[in-house]
Amino acid sequence: MEWASQLCENRGLGSKMTDSKYFTTTKKGEIFELKAELNSDKKEKKKEAVKKVIASMTVGKDVSALFPDVVNCMQTDNLELKKLVYLYLMNYAKSQPDMAIMAVNTFVKDCEDLNPLIRALAVRTMGCIRVDKITEYLCEPLRKCLKDEDPYVRKTAAVCVAKLHDINAQLVEDQGFLDTLKDLISDSNPMVVANAVAALSEIAESHPNSNLLDLNPQTINKLLTALNECTEWGQIFILDCLASYLPRDDRESQSICERVTPRLSHANSAVVLSAVKVLMKFMEMLPKDLDYYGTLLKKLAPPLVTLLSAEPELQYVALRNINLIVQKRPEILKHEMKVFFVKYNDPIYVKLEKLDIMIRLASQANIAQVLAELKEYATEVDVDFVRKAVRAIGRCAIKVEQSAERCVSTLLDLIQTKVNYVVQEAIVVIKDIFRKYPNKYESVIATLCENLDSLDEPEARAAMIWIVGEYAERIDNADELLESFLEGFHDESTQVQLQLLTAIVKLFLKKPTETQELVQQVLSLATQDSDNPDLRDRGYIYWRLLSTDPVAAKEVVLAEKPLISEETDLIEPTLLEELICHIGTLASVYHKPPSAFVEGSRGVQHKRLPPRTGSGESTETPDVGQSGPSEAPPAVIPSQGDLLGDLLNLDLAPPTATVPSVQPSMQMGAMDLLGGGLDSLLGGDIGGSPSMGAGLGAAPAAMPASLGSAPAVGGGLGDLFDLGGGVGMPTGSYVAPKTVWLLAMKAKGLEISGTFARRGGIIQMDLSLTNKAMSVMTDFAIQFNRNSFGLAPAGPLQVLTPLSPNQTIDVSLPLSTSGPVMKMEPLNNLQVAVKNNIDVFYFSCQYPLSLLFVEDGKMDRQVFLATWKDIPNDNEAQFQIKDIHLNSDVASNKLQGSNIFTIAKRTVEGQDMLYQSVKLTNGIWVLAEMRIQTGNPNYTLSIKCRAPEVCPFVYQCYELVLKN
Amino acid sequence: MIHSLFLINNAGDLFLEKHWKSVISRSVCDYFFEAREKAVEPDNVPPVIRTPHHYLINIYREKIFFVSVIQTEVPPLFVIEFLHRVAETFQDYFGECSESTIKDNVVIVYELLEEMLDNGFPLATESNILKELIRPPTILRSMVNTITGSSNVGETLPTGQLSTIPWRRAGVKYTNNEAYFDVVEEIDAILDKSGTTVFAEIQGVIDACVKLSGMPDLTLSFMNPRLLDDVSFHPCVRYKRWESERVISFVPPDGNFQLMSYHISAQNLVAIPVYVKQNISFFETGSSGRLDITVGPKQTMGKTVEGLVVTVHMPKVVLSANLNATQGTYNYDPVTKILVWDIGKLNPQKLPNLKGSLSLQSGAPKPEENPSLNIDLKIQQLAISGRLGSFISVGCDSLPAGPCDKALLLLTLF
């Protein structure tokens, strides 16, 4: 009690009356002292003790040992003490679940209290105690509180449902709380409505398909009414909920917009941004010639500008979102360039974002101002910022042609400063300017070359090397320059090595006489001494090209390069659309779709902007914006992080033409083709070079593992020889109708639909390619990613004539099963890359497993019996095939058409039992027993296989075949 | 929704944690500390930090980092706004928002945080309501509480919580009814070397302190509301009426609040009150330079310019400055390379001037960059936007019946 008396003394002296006294410790065990005080008879002492406990808790000290003593203080009519005890309970109940039960009675009693504040407090606290045993007791009080007469209690209870759902989702559903919650959307009190919406949204996030927020015009109307009257936070929840609604037509859309617009003047920036989201989304549906559309556009700018005068953290989030808005609708902020000028005291993260937006808004009208600003920024202190400013100058040059000359001279001025990182950054952007405006600014090359020695960053070195190689004929000492780089070849980064290789080859083709030695040196460095496969491959290709046909090599390597697009940093249109639907969220801050990174929301539905329903524009894709109706969207380089990025090793950098012509033939599949194919392809004169060994050495490694397990049938070649035998058989296998695999919108105008078929033992992929873009498409090639059964194209994609706009072409691509194998999810998933002269596109599709059922899949009866017994029962899977009105013979005939063979039939007590076998291309046997009861349209199917994961897919095939 | 909150001081000590859902280990803050270290300056810490399982959204106010942890998709602006609201509430309750006041009032802080959020959803954030639930500490009250044993937690449901005007408590009574409005305007302007305005805008707020009994309904009108480019209102303002009549009509909260903020960007309206003549040059040889700055009044409408401070960000090579100021004092910090000249009141008869030489690091090349000048000043009783401020009129539509003898209206214009 020494401590306690000390405390009393302190008080008597009237010393500082603050809570910091709760932190003071005593010599004796602190917990021990507190325990004694908590059990004191005096109320005041108890309260002080609990306060001390709470104070320790706030700094992360473990005071859970006091649990029973604190809970004992709960039965009190002193509200402050009660609140304090509740605070404690919420923190520690989880660690002492059995003790927490002690508190239940008090909670239940408090839920019946006359004071609504206490009722609400009790239900609120109970929801925070994440102990299963307690939640059971929570249900009844919660049900009552959801229907409480006092709205304060109802609104608290609404949130409590979300808490409970987080702890035990099943319980919430079983108890029907979700329906009660939905009813609360129609509550008379706006605060209750807002909280119900918030709770439902949170629950819906973990159940993406639950359709919890079933929005219809009536509920929307209620929400809009509540929007005007609820608190600012409630407004955010309601607006976010509204954003997920899809109006029926443009009139409804307009009326919602009208009622949301006042929110733009709210003091809370989160409300403003949520309102912007709703407007941006619904605006999409309004016809552009409508007066209201213009009014709305005008109304959006001022609030966005105002957001920039808020605290820097708010500015940052606002700027990230404005970045999206500017890309989608540049017209909104096109006159507001000046507000994005960087202020001296902006935090760096705000500065960088502002810079980004400045470039997006740069146009001929304001370029002079922008350049003057950027030049100032380039002399600032912060390195990151300066770099970005220099880069921005280059981007302006590329974007606004009229300004290119001024940009280049500005960049030259900056190079004169000799500030190392400024020079390097400037050289990188000048390279891009050269690519955009070839043969215009080469006079500056001399200045660039002066700074060769100071370049130490890979990107800058690579850029400089590219420039030297590209303009080798104008640089007298190009060979010396490149040779100097070659000395430290192995220490360079891959980027520089690749660039150096290409540059020297270019130089050789331009000045063959003087540089033969140099080119040989670099080729051997790249092919013999390097471990990097990219470098080696590129080296070989050049080597072979040069040795076979120097003229062709010239055509390939020195081919005219496509001009770089104006905005390489634009977000892909489909992603942009999705992000516009997520304005104000984390997704919009990271510029990534929510599915890509938010944990626990993997099933998030992709949101799309609604299609415009206005006059005559309905067929137009929404993202075309101000450009012509069917013009392809601006070229966008696909992000490198694409999951299929490694599929085609196509190098998008300079010598694109060479690679695809080689690759399909390499994919020919069958073993013996490879050697000869390579030989004929590469010509015999490369005997001395090490390429043969390496090329062939690598090939067998790529052979599918399945070959070994099924040597009899093997891959594509085996199937080919089987052809003769297969002709006489009924080829009634079912072919599904074509479905669209690749949307034109996602593939710059190329639409692909297709299906799979097995015709006479040959697997075919039937494709329809449609050109929905304005320009002609040529140079088609196809490639598959590794897949579960080693499917690979058995020949190149036969699109011989160029595909003109609006033309559709049907192609059948024979497939082999000798490609590389990798297990996919789902098993029958196939990832495909299609290339044309525009770009490479990726899509994935699923093939029916019956594609892989081979013609000799009829098993011997004895073997069948033995195998059936041999496969463990765990591997057996049972399925129901419903609504089949066929007798067993017809069914068995039908199945035979798809290579599902009936081996035996037994009839027991009016039940037909069919025993069937299937063999897959990789030699896996699937055994099945099908039970057919006369008069019963439901078949029972039992499937046994050593690889049980194929069973569901075999069942799918059964169903497909029998139903068609 | 908002999962947890950690308060961290400038030295990197975590001094308070609060969890609204399950407890998250404070080790999650390691990611924040990493970012903090990388940012060098505390102002430069990125507001949104991604960690493998959580997102940390933080603000930096009064040398304290408010770090909130979220786990699901939550609008970041919502979180940031809320954090600012927390800081403001502390300020409101304890007079200042600092580590020591928070530690001194840790229990109230905890009670406040619990009241402001429920399961991560905002519950009561209006100062009027919070003060009814949890009374702010005063020396007197803590004395009374210790003697009488009464508590500082309200026992009844706050009245405003459920009405359609949640910001105002019911049953307010004053013997003197008063309402004060402060118009505070800030100009943000960037001028180029020759003194031409590159960019200028006015950012204004109207702060109010309303102490009126009952349920007063006020209107406030501007003479020239068209000048306002964009306005943001306190939730109490009726937007419909503003849209149709350009009149601000509202039932005010009790006490201090920000009624509205506005934005004026029309350049011709923005009169810059002072001009600066400057000449800063560096010599090609001799590692030295000259500096000559004069400040004079431009459009001050007869008002005095006060609190004039000129800040110059010098190039890195400037080692020291040997200057002579005709008025005020100057100070050059060789570490940050910032020259501060504190002038004070501007005397239009005798213009302040700062003149002298700069010495540079020997051997270093002549600096390329132009030093930028920041000028801070204050003018009392003048709204830069001129015609806007001087015509504010306040009317009471329905003054409370009962003991309301007079409505005292005071306008202070800064």
Side-chain angles (χ1 to χ4, degrees):
Chain A
M1 287 298 112
E2 186 188 278
W3 193 89
S5 58
Q6 221 174 0
L7 181 77
C8 292
E9 247 174 59
N10 282 347
R11 232 182 252 162
L13 289 169
S15 70
K16 215 169 115 198
M17 283 293 161
T18 67
D19 293 350
S20 49
K21 63 176 182 276
Y22 300 130
F23 290 114
T24 48
T25 48
T26 55
K27 284 164 271 168
K28 278 191 190 170
E30 187 185 17
I31 300 282
F32 177 78
E33 294 281 354
L34 283 171
K35 213 177 181 87
E37 277 176 62
L38 283 169
N39 291 315
S40 157
D41 297 333
K42 287 185 194 148
K43 254 192 201 168
E44 197 45 37
K45 204 168 231 176
K46 264 190 185 175
K47 198 160 89 185
E48 287 298 308
V50 178
K51 281 191 178 179
K52 264 182 250 166
V53 174
I54 300 279
S56 309
M57 196 172 85
T58 56
V59 289
K61 260 186 220 163
D62 184 17
V63 283
S64 59
L66 295 166
F67 198 90
D69 308 281
V70 177
V71 172
N72 272 337
C73 302
M74 190 172 160
Q75 274 286 14
T76 169
D77 45 7
N78 183 318
L79 190 58
E80 186 179 20
L81 183 55
K82 198 183 266 292
K83 276 191 173 179
L84 291 171
V85 175
Y86 281 0
L87 275 175
Y88 178 87
L89 264 176
M90 284 182 228
N91 241 18
Y92 287 115
K94 183 110 196 179
S95 57
Q96 312 253 344
D98 294 328
M99 292 283 200
I101 296 289
M102 285 163 48
V104 165
N105 267 335
T106 319
F107 279 128
V108 175
K109 213 175 106 215
D110 281 357
C111 286
E112 309 266 325
D113 200 284
L114 282 178
N115 186 343
L117 197 61
I118 294 187
R119 290 204 297 276
L121 187 64
V123 75
R124 192 174 124 197
T125 314
M126 250 175 124
C128 291
I129 298 179
R130 308 174 63 87
V131 175
D132 281 340
K133 281 182 195 159
I134 289 214
T135 48
E136 287 165 27
Y137 292 99
L138 174 61
C139 291
E140 276 323 300
L142 178 58
R143 199 186 313 281
K144 260 184 224 153
C145 287
L146 280 168
K147 303 226 159 97
D148 200 285
E149 53 173 19
D150 195 303
Y152 180 75
V153 181
R154 289 204 299 276
K155 88 171 200 183
T156 317
V159 173
C160 192
V161 176
K163 292 182 198 169
L164 191 56
H165 188 272
D166 193 31
I167 305 168
N168 190 342
Q170 196 56 43
L171 185 71
V172 170
E173 275 167 47
D174 294 347
Q175 296 277 337
F177 284 138
L178 291 182
D179 293 323
T180 325
L181 204 51
K182 279 189 213 163
D183 293 342
L184 285 185
I185 291 188
S186 317
D187 199 279
S188 56
N189 186 296
M191 251 62 89
V192 179
V193 178
N195 272 16
V197 168
L200 280 173
S201 308
E202 189 174 81
I203 295 173
E205 204 175 321
S206 52
H207 285 257
N209 301 315
S210 54
N211 204 15
L212 272 177
L213 281 163
D214 182 24
L215 297 174
N216 54 48
Q218 284 79 41
T219 46
I220 288 294
N221 205 22
K222 278 174 199 146
L223 290 182
L224 284 169
T225 314
L227 181 63
N228 287 327
E229 290 170 2
C230 67
T231 65
E232 48 199 310
W233 315 110
Q235 294 184 11
I236 301 171
F237 299 135
I238 293 182
L239 286 169
D240 284 347
C241 175
L242 277 178
S244 61
Y245 175 65
L246 194 70
R248 287 162 306 174
D249 51 32
D250 50 328
R251 299 196 46 178
E252 190 186 7
S253 183
Q254 180 176 346
S255 90
I256 294 176
C257 286
E258 277 165 1
R259 293 178 71 176
V260 166
T261 325
R263 297 301 121 209
L264 291 176
S265 295
H266 202 285
N268 186 319
S269 53
V271 175
V272 175
L273 204 58
S274 290
V276 169
K277 162 162 62 185
V278 175
L279 296 175
M280 281 294 284
K281 192 177 170 192
F282 288 4
M283 224 167 135
E284 205 60 41
M285 288 183 74
L286 301 176
K288 280 191 177 154
D289 45 2
L290 197 71
D291 284 346
Y292 182 70
Y293 180 83
T295 323
L296 200 54
L297 272 184
K298 275 196 207 105
K299 278 192 174 165
L300 276 171
L304 289 174
V305 171
T306 300
L307 286 180
L308 296 183
S309 49
E311 284 85 358
E313 299 93 357
L314 295 169
Q315 280 188 48
Y316 170 74
V317 178
L319 284 165
R320 291 295 285 173
N321 282 287
I322 289 174
N323 198 329
L324 295 174
I325 294 169
V326 165
Q327 286 184 57
K328 180 74 189 159
R329 298 194 180 280
E331 63 270 31
I332 294 179
L333 286 167
K334 68 178 171 204
H335 299 304
E336 304 289 348
M337 172 59 97
K338 284 184 177 173
V339 299
F340 297 104
F341 284 178
V342 170
K343 291 180 189 158
Y344 186 83
N345 50 359
D346 281 334
I348 183 71
Y349 54 83
V350 168
K351 285 184 180 172
L352 295 175
E353 291 308 316
K354 280 188 173 173
L355 205 52
D356 234 7
I357 296 172
M358 278 172 71
I359 305 162
R360 295 208 192 284
L361 289 175
S363 67
Q364 206 184 334
N366 56 25
I367 193 72
Q369 268 182 328
V370 174
L371 265 184
E373 279 291 308
L374 290 177
K375 200 178 169 187
E376 287 295 322
Y377 301 164
T379 58
E380 279 258 15
V381 205
D382 191 285
V383 178
D384 283 341
F385 181 56
V386 171
R387 281 173 182 277
K388 197 155 183 174
V390 175
R391 222 159 252 232
I393 297 174
R395 274 164 68 184
C396 284
I398 291 165
K399 196 173 174 207
V400 186
E401 187 163 0
Q402 292 80 0
S403 75
E405 202 162 333
R406 293 172 61 174
C407 293
V408 171
S409 73
T410 309
L411 286 171
L412 284 179
D413 286 351
L414 290 173
I415 287 177
Q416 297 303 348
T417 64
K418 304 276 178 196
V419 178
N420 187 285
Y421 53 85
V422 175
V423 173
Q424 309 214 35
E425 214 55 50
I427 287 184
V428 173
V429 297
I430 286 182
K431 179 203 77 176
D432 287 341
I433 295 177
F434 282 172
R435 287 216 41 196
K436 172 75 181 177
Y437 310 108
N439 305 319
K440 218 165 162 191
Y441 300 110
E442 281 73 19
S443 50
V444 308
I445 289 177
T447 324
L448 301 186
C449 289
E450 286 166 20
N451 293 288
L452 216 59
D453 300 332
S454 64
L455 308 180
D456 53 11
E457 289 161 24
E459 205 182 351
R461 285 174 84 84
M464 193 64 218
I465 293 171
W466 182 87
I467 293 173
V468 174
E470 187 66 18
Y471 298 102
E473 67 272 26
R474 304 184 202 195
I475 306 170
D476 296 334
N477 59 343
D479 49 342
E480 279 169 40
L481 293 177
L482 292 176
E483 201 171 353
S484 67
F485 281 106
L486 205 56
E487 280 161 19
F489 188 78
H490 288 299
D491 302 328
E492 301 282 4
S493 72
T494 315
Q495 191 184 9
V496 180
Q497 289 176 334
L498 285 170
Q499 212 51 260
L500 197 52
L501 172 62
T502 306
I504 292 180
V505 171
K506 280 183 193 163
L507 175 70
F508 172 70
L509 289 168
K510 286 173 180 173
K511 300 178 181 172
T513 44
E514 306 119 71
T515 56
Q516 206 158 3
E517 206 175 306
L518 193 61
V519 82
Q520 264 168 5
Q521 202 183 338
V522 77
L523 285 176
S524 81
L525 276 173
T527 53
Q528 285 169 332
D529 300 347
S530 172
D531 296 333
N532 185 319
D534 286 347
L535 187 62
R536 249 186 1 226
D537 284 357
R538 196 184 281 191
Y540 282 133
I541 288 168
Y542 284 143
W543 198 324
R544 286 164 202 165
L545 266 172
L546 293 176
S547 51
T548 36
D549 189 353
V551 181
K554 211 163 187 166
E555 267 168 36
V556 169
V557 179
L558 301 181
E560 204 155 303
K561 277 157 280 298
L563 294 183
I564 57 172
S565 70
E566 283 177 19
E567 303 250 353
T568 45
D569 56 335
L570 274 185
I571 295 177
E572 207 194 331
T574 41
L575 177 60
L576 181 61
E577 269 188 29
E578 192 176 352
L579 289 177
I580 288 285
C581 298
H582 285 107
I583 283 178
T585 65
L586 281 172
S588 70
V589 172
Y590 284 101
H591 291 185
K592 281 181 187 158
S595 49
F597 66 97
V598 178
E599 217 172 77
S601 58
R602 256 162 292 146
V604 169
Q605 285 158 323
H606 289 257
K607 291 190 181 169
R608 289 275 169 272
L609 286 177
R612 198 176 294 276
T613 53
S615 49
E617 282 185 289
S618 49
T619 51
E620 189 184 321
T621 48
D623 59 293
V624 180
Q626 61 276 61
S627 53
S630 58
E631 194 182 318
V636 175
I637 293 179
S639 70
Q640 294 298 312
D642 201 311
L643 77 155
L644 289 168
D646 60 338
L647 223 172
L648 267 188
N649 268 329
L650 295 191
D651 194 340
L652 296 169
T656 34
T658 54
V659 189
S661 65
V662 176
Q663 288 222 341
S665 46
M666 299 268 277
Q667 283 294 330
M668 286 298 262
M671 233 185 307
D672 55 339
L673 267 182
L674 198 65
L678 261 184
D679 268 346
S680 59
L681 183 76
L682 301 172
D685 59 343
I686 43 167
S689 86
S691 67
M692 276 298 282
L696 280 176
M703 279 288 137
S706 62
L707 264 180
S709 64
V713 228
L717 268 189
D719 281 344
L720 265 171
F721 294 131
D722 242 16
L723 236 179
V727 172
M729 299 181 82
T731 49
S733 78
Y734 167 69
V735 179
K738 281 180 182 170
T739 49
V740 178
W741 285 335
L742 183 68
L743 285 171
M745 231 171 71
K746 282 188 171 175
K748 298 173 188 166
L750 176 66
E751 186 178 282
I752 298 179
S753 55
T755 184
F756 294 93
R758 188 178 179 93
R759 298 191 181 92
I762 296 180
I763 307 172
Q764 280 178 325
M765 186 180 190
D766 296 342
L767 294 167
S768 293
L769 310 172
T770 310
N771 182 354
K772 294 200 169 170
M774 291 288 271
S775 53
V776 175
M777 294 179 179
T778 54
D779 303 337
F780 284 95
I782 193 165
Q783 207 167 20
F784 294 173
N785 197 3
R786 287 191 285 176
N787 53 69
S788 315
F789 294 95
L791 282 177
L797 191 61
Q798 299 285 345
V799 185
L800 300 172
T801 47
L803 194 58
S804 38
N806 284 325
Q807 192 194 354
T808 301
I809 193 167
D810 290 328
V811 226
S812 260
L813 180 72
L815 304 182
S816 74
T817 51
S818 52
V821 176
M822 182 176 77
K823 196 172 166 193
M824 297 297 291
E825 192 54 46
L827 207 61
N828 59 343
N829 195 20
L830 181 65
Q831 296 178 331
V832 183
V834 170
K835 182 194 95 65
N836 62 12
N837 56 330
I838 298 169
D839 207 341
V840 184
F841 310 107
Y842 306 103
F843 62 88
S844 69
C845 52
Q846 296 182 359
Y847 48 88
L849 213 65
S850 55
L851 212 58
L852 308 164
F853 296 172
V854 296
E855 280 68 20
D856 63 344
K858 189 160 183 167
M859 204 179 233
D860 183 77
R861 277 180 185 221
Q862 296 305 320
V863 182
F864 184 93
L865 271 174
T867 321
W868 184 270
K869 276 183 196 153
D870 203 30
I871 298 176
N873 280 338
D874 292 351
N875 283 10
E876 182 170 335
Q878 273 217 350
F879 302 94
Q880 284 278 333
I881 309 175
K882 287 180 178 153
D883 287 331
I884 307 290
H885 301 280
L886 306 168
N887 68 34
S888 55
D889 290 337
V890 179
S892 130
N893 269 343
K894 249 191 152 176
L895 289 169
Q896 182 136 2
S898 293
N899 295 343
I900 301 173
F901 300 96
T902 307
I903 298 165
K905 181 180 160 187
R906 216 152 50 111
T907 310
V908 186
E909 294 163 7
Q911 255 191 50
D912 284 341
M913 319 272 267
L914 299 181
Y915 296 95
Q916 298 168 321
S917 73
V918 169
K919 187 181 169 191
L920 302 183
T921 45
N922 58 0
I924 292 179
W925 284 95
V926 183
L927 311 183
E929 178 198 74
M930 190 158 71
R931 257 176 287 170
I932 305 173
Q933 205 157 18
T934 6
N936 186 352
N938 294 348
Y939 294 5
T940 312
L941 182 69
S942 308
I943 303 178
K944 261 191 165 185
C945 178
R946 287 191 202 279
E949 55 267 43
V950 304
C951 294
F953 299 98
V954 174
Y955 156 69
Q956 268 179 16
C957 299
Y958 265 87
E959 204 169 44
L960 264 178
V961 173
L962 288 172
K963 288 195 171 165
N964 291 290
Chain B
M1 291 294 119
I2 300 171
H3 211 295
S4 303
L5 174 72
F6 296 98
L7 298 189
I8 295 168
N9 68 13
N10 224 347
D13 299 325
L14 204 165
F15 64 91
L16 188 110
E17 56 177 314
K18 168 82 183 118
H19 308 277
W20 284 278
K21 292 186 167 185
S22 51
V23 177
I24 289 179
S25 155
R26 52 168 67 191
S27 63
V28 73
C29 290
D30 291 349
Y31 295 99
F32 170 79
F33 292 129
E34 210 174 285
R36 164 75 183 81
E37 207 159 295
K38 226 165 110 190
V40 187
E41 291 294 316
D43 293 316
N44 286 342
V45 180
V48 186
I49 300 168
R50 185 175 169 184
T51 80
H53 300 286
H54 305 92
Y55 290 86
L56 304 178
I57 297 184
N58 68 83
I59 64 163
Y60 183 62
R61 280 274 295 253
E62 319 289 339
K63 301 202 168 120
I64 300 172
F65 288 101
F66 291 72
V67 183
S68 65
V69 183
I70 58 171
Q71 232 170 350
T72 48
E73 176 70 88
V74 179
L77 273 189
F78 155 82
V79 182
I80 296 173
E81 278 278 3
F82 177 80
L83 293 178
H84 281 296
R85 203 61 58 87
V86 171
E88 274 156 30
T89 309
F90 290 168
Q91 177 107 32
D92 193 23
Y93 263 73
F94 314 127
E96 59 163 357
C97 172
S98 68
E99 187 184 350
S100 62
T101 51
I102 291 175
K103 275 185 173 165
D104 284 350
N105 297 288
V106 70
V107 176
I108 294 190
V109 165
Y110 228 63
E111 287 172 339
L112 276 174
L113 290 176
E114 181 60 29
E115 213 53 64
M116 290 178 86
L117 275 192
D118 176 22
N119 195 36
F121 297 104
L123 196 61
T125 52
E126 287 291 337
S127 139
N128 270 235
I129 292 174
L130 281 173
K131 283 187 177 158
E132 271 186 74
L133 285 167
I134 299 156
R135 297 195 188 100
T138 57
I139 297 292
L140 183 67
R141 178 162 304 124
S142 65
M143 294 294 277
V144 171
N145 284 354
T146 28
I147 295 161
T148 61
S150 67
S151 76
N152 56 349
V153 169
E155 301 261 335
T156 48
L157 190 61
T159 42
Q161 183 87 317
L162 293 159
S163 65
T164 43
I165 40 170
W167 53 85
R168 188 176 178 85
R169 61 196 176 99
V172 186
K173 257 186 198 164
Y174 288 102
T175 40
N176 287 326
N177 284 293
E178 319 172 288
Y180 300 89
F181 292 89
D182 280 352
V183 181
V184 182
E185 286 193 344
E186 278 177 28
I187 2 167
D188 248 328
I190 305 174
L191 308 181
D192 67 8
K193 237 186 259 179
S194 60
T196 356
T197 312
V198 176
F199 168 71
E201 61 173 359
I202 295 178
Q203 202 56 55
V205 296
I206 299 184
D207 284 327
C209 174
V210 178
K211 295 184 171 173
L212 298 172
S213 313
M215 275 291 164
D217 200 326
L218 307 182
T219 52
L220 197 142
S221 50
F222 297 106
M223 207 54 188
N224 206 348
R226 273 173 307 150
L227 297 180
L228 303 173
D229 276 339
D230 187 43
V231 285
S232 304
F233 292 120
H234 187 275
C236 68
V237 176
R238 297 185 181 94
Y239 188 76
K240 282 248 164 62
R241 187 116 183 249
W242 166 256
E243 275 284 88
S244 54
E245 303 166 45
R246 297 278 142 179
V247 163
I248 301 176
S249 150
F250 58 102
V251 176
D254 186 43
N256 293 313
F257 65 102
Q258 191 181 88
L259 178 65
M260 67 179 286
S261 65
Y262 58 88
H263 180 94
I264 298 174
S265 64
Q267 304 247 332
N268 46 356
L269 286 170
V270 186
I272 315 279
V274 293
Y275 70 85
V276 177
K277 269 194 213 153
Q278 53 87 23
N279 182 19
I280 303 174
S281 55
F282 302 103
F283 304 124
E284 288 293 344
T285 52
S287 305
S288 64
R290 282 204 62 75
L291 178 142
D292 187 347
I293 304 174
T294 311
V295 187
K298 208 166 158 190
Q299 286 156 294
T300 58
M301 317 212 184
K303 300 280 187 335
T304 345
V305 179
E306 291 172 55
L308 194 59
V309 178
V310 178
T311 317
V312 190
H313 300 272
M314 287 294 181
K316 269 180 259 175
V317 289
V318 177
L319 284 182
S320 65
N322 184 13
L323 306 170
N324 195 6
T326 60
Q327 187 188 340
T329 52
Y330 81 92
N331 177 34
Y332 180 65
D333 183 345
V335 182
T336 54
K337 308 287 176 196
I338 292 176
L339 172 73
V340 182
W341 178 27
D342 191 344
I343 302 171
K345 212 179 249 179
L346 179 68
N347 181 1
Q349 267 72 50
K350 192 169 168 289
L351 299 180
N353 171 272
L354 183 71
K355 204 168 170 181
S357 61
L358 306 167
S359 63
L360 274 58
Q361 207 176 315
S362 59
K366 177 187 154 199
E368 281 293 322
E369 65 255 54
N370 301 314
S372 65
L373 274 70
N374 284 16
I375 292 144
D376 297 308
L377 55 91
K378 236 185 244 168
I379 303 176
Q380 302 266 7
Q381 308 280 319
L382 171 76
I384 309 293
S385 56
R387 287 155 284 181
L388 177 76
S390 38
F391 291 102
I392 294 178
S393 69
V394 180
C396 279
D397 277 3
S398 63
L399 269 175
C404 169
D405 33 348
K406 57 178 182 183
L408 179 67
L409 301 174
L410 268 179
L411 287 183
T412 330
L413 298 178
F414 282 105

